[in-house]
Structures are given as C-alpha cells and as structure tokens.
Amino acid sequence: MRNEINEKLIQKTVLEDYPIYMQMDFLRFLEKEKMIHKSSRKNNSENLLDITEIPTVNKRIEFIFNKLNNIYRKCEEFEYLRAYRYFTIFKFDKIEEGIIGELINCKKIIEYGCEEFISFTAQKPTVKIENNKVIFKFNFYLTSKDDNNDKMKYPVLAILDKEEKILEIRLDSVKFKYKNKEKFYKETIDKVKAWLKSMLKINIETIDFQSISKYIKENKANEVIITALKMKRNGTMAVLDSASNELLTIPILGELKELIKVHNKAFLKNEDTEEIKNILDKFIKNIEETSELPSVKMLWYDKKIKIVVLEAYKDSDYSLLKFLEELKDGECMNYVTEYLIKCEKENRRALYSE
C-alpha cells in the first residue's frame, strides 16, 4: 500500500510539478534509455513503447506511467542526471576509508542500482559512486500550505568529489505553496550539511566567491562576463541596474572607461592631460579593487550559461548560486562547478606567490 501511495506521488510530481522543459528532458532521457519511441522520423525497430501519436508532452508522460512498470525506478535515476536551479559549493577535509560501505551495511543509506534503491525518507538517502565522486540523493516530501493532500517529491543532490575535496549541493526551485518557511532553500541546504557532517564525519568549509568573482573579472574577461547586481563600499550598499549592459561591472565606471577610450587622443595631448588620465585610471582601479560584490551575474560566452551568485545567502556564511533562464542538464552544472573550482585554485596560488 505504501509503495502505491509513493508511486502516485512520484507520478503526480512529474506530471504537475515539473516545468515543461524538465518534462521534455525526462522524455529525452527515457528515449536514450531505450524505453520509448518518440520520433516519427525514425523506425521503431526495437519495438519500444510508441508515443509518436500522442499530441502533448503531459499526455505522453501520463501514457508512459500507465504502460511501463519500471518507470518509477527511471524517475529516481533521472533525478541523479537532471539539472537543478540552485547550488552551493563547499570544501571538505576528507572521507574516512570504508565509511560509505559501513553506512550501506547498517542500512543508513541505500546503494544506487540495488534491486530496491528508491528511498522515501530524507534521513535515508540513496548513494551512487562514480569514480572519485560520491553522490547522495535526499528525497524530501513537501506538503502544500493550502491543502494537506497536495504533496510533491523534492530531491536534493549532495556531490562529494574525493579528489578535489569539493562538496556541491544541488536543489531546485519550488512553488510558493510548498515553501512552508521563509528560508526554505537555506534550511534545506543546512539539513543536508548537518546529515553529511554527522554521518560522514567530515568538516565542511565555505568558499570565498567574492574573491573568485574578482579573479575571474581580472583574468578571464575573454571567457566570462561579470556583472555586479550589488556593490558595497565603505559600509554603503548600492543595488545596480546593470541589466541594460552585460559588459559593465559597475555601470558608472564602465561609462568612465568608455569615455577615456573614446577621447584617448585628447588625454595624450600633453603631460597635464596624460596626468589627468592616469588619475582617472587609478581612481577606477581603486574602486574596483576595494569594492565588495555581494551579488554578481556570470555569463559564459561560448556555453551560453548564466548564473547569479548571492553572497551570505539569508545571513548564512556561504553563497547560493542560481542558474538563470532555462536549465540545460547536469553536465552543464558540472562544467560551471569545475570552472569555478579551477579559478579558486588559480586565485589561491596567485595569492600565495605574492
């Protein structure tokens, strides 16, 4: 009976709470797994479940749930691979050798790929091991503030890279009716962190994303655009409307730089005008170096990826990162995390060498 209730909840979550692009990603995943045939341009040579005649994405998914017995298992697998809207990145010291096996043996966690690896409690996550990565998936169950019978399944990933000693926590946006607390995302992250600290006996440290943002701005301008959404200097916070020009870090400074560039000949006219140019250049550089950037947007040119970094999220000691626009896939998230960690290491080496 319990499995029936949970299976209905999984189906309801995919059908009603997944946005349309996530439902389409789910269908692509099932096609890749050779469970469905959804393209009328290809022959159904393997006699897969044919959904080509079903007109809408929602109806296709409903049909699949009615026809495929192992669809619930595939939903769990998909949650390991899909993209999530929010993520946080931390450092940790180390994982004790054999501790994952111990937790599996004493049934504190469920091993991915075993016959029954679907977990229905956040306190007993599933775990998947991929080379140097250990991936925990926590399943939270949210209830609507308006209707106690309206529930959804809410997965959260915790990815530990044992080689880089990096922890990433991924979680998705959720409808307002399911947010029972104002600091929903922060409290969810903190619950996962507390479980990891307790069960894995690891120390978790925050990462200085302000320092990373400044390093990227100064050294990776040909790859990433950094745009400030807020600026703090001498105790004063300014909210910046920089959306109109993605190329500017701080709008007024960007305008000053452009003004100097346009009138460069005039500034080089004699020693006095050159001195004025030097004073302005130093003024701009000083503000950029001494200003804090508690909220920035990052845009990767080639990948067309855009995120926002919110420092000290909800008075915490860590930054919350958020993907903007339509989500792509888990690989896209991996790319961003690896890029930021690479820059963090480069920045640290540069600081130590000074």
Side-chain angles (χ1 to χ4, degrees):
M1 182 67 179
R2 185 183 176 187
N3 277 345
E4 260 183 54
I5 294 170
N6 286 320
E7 286 174 358
K8 285 180 180 178
L9 181 56
I10 291 171
Q11 181 175 345
K12 181 263 177 190
T13 299
V14 176
L15 282 168
E16 298 180 20
D17 298 308
Y18 273 20
I20 184 67
Y21 65 81
M22 189 63 66
Q23 290 179 336
M24 293 171 68
D25 283 347
F26 182 54
L27 290 177
R28 282 191 285 269
F29 165 72
L30 294 179
E31 183 181 37
K32 188 176 179 181
E33 291 289 297
K34 296 189 180 301
M35 295 187 67
I36 61 171
H37 174 73
K38 71 180 186 69
S39 175
S40 57
R41 297 179 182 178
K42 297 178 183 177
N43 292 325
N44 190 6
S45 57
E46 297 178 78
N47 200 28
L48 305 175
L49 180 66
D50 195 327
I51 62 170
T52 54
E53 300 300 318
I54 302 174
T56 67
V57 170
N58 208 263
K59 290 292 183 185
R60 286 182 169 192
I61 291 175
E62 193 173 5
F63 179 74
I64 290 167
F65 272 102
N66 289 331
K67 294 294 183 180
L68 296 179
N69 292 327
N70 61 342
I71 185 63
Y72 302 99
R73 185 184 180 95
K74 289 300 175 184
C75 289
E76 294 291 315
E77 292 178 9
F78 177 66
E79 288 173 350
Y80 274 96
L81 302 171
R82 51 164 282 198
Y84 292 81
R85 180 69 63 187
Y86 297 98
F87 63 115
T88 56
I89 307 174
F90 303 94
K91 295 179 184 178
F92 67 91
D93 46 5
K94 63 178 180 178
I95 300 178
E96 289 180 17
E97 195 68 35
I99 196 166
I100 303 298
E102 289 175 16
L103 290 171
I104 292 172
N105 291 336
C106 64
K107 298 184 179 180
K108 297 287 186 182
I109 56 178
I110 302 171
E111 187 176 9
Y112 175 91
C114 67
E115 189 173 334
E116 290 294 333
F117 74 98
I118 300 176
S119 170
F120 295 108
T121 168
Q123 291 304 312
K124 187 185 282 190
T126 58
V127 64
K128 182 180 184 182
I129 299 173
E130 294 181 345
N131 300 320
N132 289 314
K133 289 186 178 180
V134 180
I135 309 170
F136 291 95
K137 183 161 72 66
F138 298 81
N139 290 316
F140 293 88
Y141 293 87
L142 311 181
T143 302
S144 170
K145 291 180 285 189
D146 306 320
D147 180 0
N148 285 335
N149 294 316
D150 181 5
K151 301 178 187 295
M152 72 166 289
K153 182 173 181 288
Y154 186 73
V156 178
L157 295 189
I159 304 169
L160 293 97
D161 187 321
K162 294 194 293 183
E163 186 174 338
E164 297 290 345
K165 293 184 172 54
I166 292 296
L167 161 66
E168 181 187 356
I169 297 175
R170 299 179 180 180
L171 62 168
D172 210 0
S173 54
V174 66
K175 295 175 183 175
F176 176 75
K177 66 179 180 177
Y178 294 119
K179 293 181 187 175
N180 55 354
K181 295 180 181 177
E182 182 187 350
K183 297 183 179 181
F184 172 82
Y185 298 115
K186 177 185 180 298
E187 292 193 10
T188 303
I189 292 166
D190 290 345
K191 285 176 187 175
V192 171
K193 280 179 64 186
W195 188 95
L196 294 168
K197 284 181 179 180
S198 172
M199 293 296 179
L200 301 184
K201 299 176 175 58
I202 59 174
N203 294 314
I204 299 174
E205 302 174 12
T206 57
I207 292 176
D208 183 358
F209 276 95
Q210 275 207 48
S211 181
I212 296 173
S213 297
K214 288 187 176 183
Y215 175 81
I216 291 174
K217 176 185 173 295
E218 292 168 6
N219 299 277
K220 309 286 184 178
N222 61 327
E223 298 173 2
V224 184
I225 298 172
I226 298 286
T227 307
L229 301 179
K230 292 181 181 178
M231 183 184 77
K232 186 176 181 181
R233 188 166 183 261
N234 298 331
T236 302
M237 180 76 75
V239 177
L240 308 173
D241 179 14
S242 56
S244 59
N245 191 339
E246 295 285 355
L247 294 173
L248 304 181
T249 303
I250 301 170
I252 188 62
L253 298 187
E255 292 173 16
L256 272 174
K257 286 180 180 179
E258 188 62 27
L259 184 70
I260 293 168
K261 183 179 176 181
V262 169
H263 298 284
N264 191 53
K265 286 185 179 179
F267 280 113
L268 299 178
K269 192 171 183 180
N270 54 52
E271 290 183 3
D272 291 336
T273 54
E274 282 188 33
E275 181 60 25
I276 293 170
K277 181 179 183 297
N278 290 335
I279 291 170
L280 289 172
D281 287 338
K282 287 178 182 177
F283 171 75
I284 293 169
K285 185 178 181 183
N286 177 260
I287 289 181
E288 291 185 333
E289 289 181 349
T290 59
S291 297
E292 296 178 28
L293 302 176
S295 178
V296 300
K297 276 197 295 187
M298 296 184 183
L299 170 65
W300 279 260
Y301 295 97
D302 296 338
K303 299 285 183 178
K304 300 294 185 289
I305 298 171
K306 188 186 293 184
I307 69 169
V308 63
V309 182
L310 304 170
E311 191 205 4
Y313 178 67
K314 298 291 184 181
D315 300 321
S316 68
D317 61 352
Y318 55 82
S319 296
L320 181 72
L321 294 83
K322 177 183 179 182
F323 278 88
L324 301 176
E325 301 173 351
E326 187 173 305
L327 292 175
K328 295 183 180 179
D329 53 34
E331 289 300 315
C332 167
M333 299 192 75
N334 293 340
Y335 172 82
V336 171
T337 297
E338 289 166 10
Y339 188 97
L340 293 174
I341 294 307
K342 182 189 74 170
C343 290
E344 192 271 340
K345 289 165 72 175
E346 290 174 2
N347 184 39
R348 199 159 12 101
R349 282 196 296 267
L351 291 173
Y352 287 156
S353 63
E354 288 179 358

